[in-house]
Amino acid sequence: MRYLITQIFPPCVGGSGRWFHEAFRRYAPDSNLIITRTMDTDSHSSFTGCRVQRIRWTLRNSGFFSCSGFVDYFKLAIKIRSITKSGDRRIVLAGRMVPEGWIALMVAGLKNVKIVCFAHGEEINLLDSQNGNGVMSSLQHRIMGRLVALATHHWIVNSYNTREILRRDWGVTESRISVIHPGVDTEYFRPALFDAQHRRDYNWSDRLVILTVGRLQKRKGHDHMIRAIKTLAATFPTILYVIAGDGEEYQNLAKLVEECGLQSHVQFHQTISDELLRKFYQQCDVFILPNRAIGSDIEGFGMVLLEAAACGKVVIAGASGGTAETMDVGKTGFIVDCNDPVVLANHLLEILSSPALVDFGTAGRSHVEANFSWDQVAKKLDDVLESL
């Protein structure tokens, strides 16, 4: 029996949770148990195929070295050990270095249990962390991370960029790291014919629609893209920038749109169903993830780029983190500098003027089908775990 401890699992929104759900639902339910937090929602049952145990997950302080942190971690560890004690705890998997890796360390104790930890990029990055940026800006987290790095038998990472962070910042040897890229459901995310009714319903009509999907965070780069749209509108007067997602930057971004006078050129869709999200991918003209590094906060991979490419769209991403690993750069998509809105606008003027964009979308679909199916991901993960 393999036990995965993760705070992020559907219906909780997050790329890592989707990663876990898609991979583990492809295994026999009695071979794995996912231990995750209870959520105030009745949509748990829609995420079928996985054996899941939901518990009350209370961490008032994600740092261990405080009274509340010690008590909460201890209670969680006792609860999880009681769940796993009747089975073979040969392998305990942790969804992240902190807090899950620390909980796994406590659950494993001194017994012959191998800890396997997943890493996604931004949560382990130490670059600029001591200046108050990112998860590892906490000294407690850094100390906990050092001990988890020492105790972890093997690491599963989402990109070669994340592997390099583990090697550079935590001293993990390459032999203890396996790179397994996330995947995409190519049956669900697939190209569709032009839908004039959908475009009318959302005021897209015959406009040039550029789409970004993702949480509204600074590193996602929506702000620089909005400023770039102001420049692009001079050449493409019907351009429309569609932002799908919610997050802490919404108010700042909405204010920026007003300051730039771009209300007719930018749409926000904060709440969006999976079905409508797929429709947005299918009916947009270009997909962009204008990500940039904000201190230690980076884009570890970029699963949305795979989803857009699977729908036959040309994809554009920032030159930060692991986004280049989602595409065949120069053939299925573009990597551009998104640190400056003027530079970004100049890149986009050149790309959007290219008559070959349709060919890029077709090539992108083929690239995703060949390299990023969830069945392939599950097989690679199973092979790694069986070899330990």
Side-chain angles (χ1 to χ4, degrees), residues 17 56 63 78 87 110 156 159-160 169 175 193 198 215 235 259-260 337 349 380:
R56 187 169 297 280
I78 291 296
L110 298 176
I156 309 292
S159 68
Y160 291 102
D169 292 354
S175 62
L193 296 175
H198 169 88
R215 185 164 180 80
T235 303
E259 290 173 352
C260 294
D337 181 358
L349 280 172
K380 290 175 182 176

Side-chain angles (χ1 to χ4, degrees), residues 16 19 34 140 218 271 375:
S16 61
W19 200 118
I34 296 167
Q140 291 192 65
K218 285 186 178 180
T271 303
D375 287 339

Side-chain angles (χ1 to χ4, degrees), residues 53-316:
Q53 175 92 36
R54 294 187 181 272
I55 62 174
R56 187 169 297 280
W57 187 296
T58 302
L59 276 180
R60 291 166 292 175
N61 185 344
S62 58
F64 178 75
F65 306 105
S66 67
C67 290
S68 61
F70 176 84
V71 170
D72 290 345
Y73 271 108
F74 186 77
K75 287 180 178 179
L76 265 177
I78 291 296
K79 193 179 300 183
I80 292 173
R81 287 194 73 163
S82 70
I83 293 171
T84 63
K85 67 180 180 181
S86 60
D88 173 19
R89 287 187 300 193
R90 188 178 69 85
I91 294 180
V92 174
L93 301 104
R96 292 172 296 182
M97 176 183 279
V98 176
E100 290 93 330
W102 188 256
I103 296 170
L105 192 153
M106 296 177 70
V107 169
L110 298 176
K111 296 186 177 181
N112 187 28
V113 177
K114 292 178 180 177
I115 298 174
V116 176
C117 195
F118 290 86
H120 313 280
E122 68 280 358
E123 85 285 7
I124 62 167
N125 194 8
L126 291 180
L127 184 65
D128 202 35
S129 62
Q130 296 190 39
N131 291 327
N133 289 302
V135 174
M136 289 300 162
S137 62
S138 164
L139 177 59
Q140 291 192 65
H141 287 175
R142 293 199 296 274
I143 294 172
M144 293 162 71
R146 291 293 176 195
L147 294 173
V148 170
L150 288 172
T152 297
H153 182 78
H154 202 77
W155 292 84
I156 309 292
V157 302
N158 61 350
S159 68
Y160 291 102
N161 185 76
T162 301
R163 183 182 72 177
E164 184 55 33
I165 294 173
L166 263 180
R167 293 175 59 193
R168 180 195 72 204
D169 292 354
W170 301 95
V172 179
T173 58
E174 191 170 327
S175 62
R176 293 170 55 208
I177 308 172
S178 294
V179 178
I180 304 179
H181 291 124
V184 64
D185 186 343
T186 54
E187 290 300 311
Y188 186 78
F189 294 103
R190 58 187 307 111
L193 296 175
F194 183 88
D195 188 335
Q197 184 60 54
H198 169 88
R199 285 188 157 244
R200 284 195 295 270
D201 289 344
Y202 288 90
N203 195 29
W204 294 11
S205 299
D206 296 324
R207 304 178 73 174
L208 172 62
V209 177
I210 301 177
L211 173 68
T212 295
V213 174
R215 185 164 180 80
L216 306 186
Q217 300 168 298
K218 285 186 178 180
R219 70 173 163 91
K220 298 291 186 180
H222 303 89
D223 53 346
H224 282 0
M225 185 61 195
I226 289 170
R227 293 185 176 94
I229 289 292
K230 187 170 185 178
T231 300
L232 293 170
T235 303
F236 303 98
T238 65
I239 197 169
L240 178 65
Y241 182 37
V242 177
I243 300 172
D246 198 4
E248 60 271 20
E249 283 296 301
Y250 172 71
Q251 294 297 335
N252 291 334
L253 294 173
K255 182 179 179 181
L256 178 61
V257 169
E258 291 185 9
E259 290 173 352
C260 294
L262 293 172
Q263 292 92 328
S264 63
H265 290 281
V266 179
Q267 283 184 1
F268 289 97
H269 296 272
Q270 293 173 267
T271 303
I272 185 170
S273 67
D274 288 345
E275 185 176 350
L276 184 57
L277 175 62
R278 177 178 62 171
K279 198 75 170 180
F280 276 21
Y281 281 130
Q282 292 170 334
Q283 296 304 317
C284 74
D285 296 295
V286 174
F287 183 86
I288 185 167
L289 180 62
N291 61 291
R292 65 187 190 272
I294 302 293
S296 63
D297 197 10
I298 60 169
E299 190 72 33
F301 183 71
M303 292 171 65
V304 292
L305 294 163
L306 296 184
E307 292 170 352
C311 292
K313 301 303 173 181
V314 59
V315 293
I316 304 168

